[in-house]
Amino acid sequence: MKKSILIYTLIISAWTLFINKAQAQDNDAQRTILVINAVVDQEHKAELKEYLSQMMKIFKEHGGEPLGRYKTIEKISGSQVPEMIALISFENSNVVKTLLNSAEYKNLSELRKRVFSDLKIVLCSNLN
């Protein structure tokens, strides 16, 4: 009887470890959404198209899939709202972090500073 309880306990423990590992892998594999909120610097607005063209190329090279680019049409509430919002899907957050640390992304830093008076970038995942 004690052996069967021990075996049963070992089976339950192994199953629990398996489930926990599978859930951790699912979380690692969960797609990550890069959300960009931006306010364009009107003085450098002419450079925006070139910047966006280069960034979309960088996103694509890192497996980014555009979900949408939007412009604000009306402020409902809040003290400051973005003029532009972009959503790009990536395999996981590590891919995005690699992109943000890449030479291609860093080489655009001066242009990015000129083009945007405010730029907020966040990583998101599904809310479970």
Side-chain angles (χ1 to χ4, degrees):
M1 180 74 156
K2 288 183 181 182
K3 267 189 179 179
S4 59
I5 291 174
L6 179 60
I7 291 171
Y8 181 72
T9 302
L10 289 173
I11 291 171
I12 295 296
S13 297
W15 180 253
T16 302
L17 288 172
F18 172 77
I19 294 297
N20 288 341
K21 184 175 181 181
Q23 288 174 340
Q25 287 174 344
D26 284 347
N27 289 341
D28 291 343
Q30 186 177 49
R31 294 208 51 95
T32 297
I33 308 301
L34 180 69
V35 179
I36 304 168
N37 293 322
V39 176
V40 178
D41 184 323
Q42 296 305 307
E43 188 176 326
H44 299 282
K45 187 175 183 175
E47 297 176 274
L48 178 63
K49 187 174 182 179
E50 176 62 24
Y51 175 78
L52 293 176
S53 171
Q54 291 184 53
M55 278 310 306
M56 293 311 291
K57 181 181 174 193
I58 293 169
F59 291 149
K60 188 174 183 174
E61 288 172 355
H62 286 84
E65 298 173 18
L67 299 177
R69 295 186 333 185
Y70 308 94
K71 67 178 182 175
T72 300
I73 58 172
E74 181 179 352
K75 177 179 142 181
I76 303 298
S77 68
S79 58
Q80 185 178 15
V81 296
E83 293 176 42
M84 302 168 53
I85 299 169
L87 304 171
I88 299 105
S89 177
F90 290 89
E91 183 179 344
N92 58 51
S93 62
N94 290 332
V95 173
V96 180
K97 291 173 186 175
T98 299
L99 179 155
L100 296 176
N101 287 311
S102 72
E104 301 92 353
Y105 182 80
K106 290 179 179 181
N107 288 341
L108 291 175
S109 66
E110 289 302 316
L111 180 57
R112 188 172 22 261
K113 288 177 190 175
R114 284 195 310 273
V115 170
F116 300 112
S117 61
D118 187 39
L119 182 64
K120 293 179 178 70
I121 302 172
V122 297
L123 296 178
C124 300
S125 63
N126 286 337
L127 187 61
N128 295 330

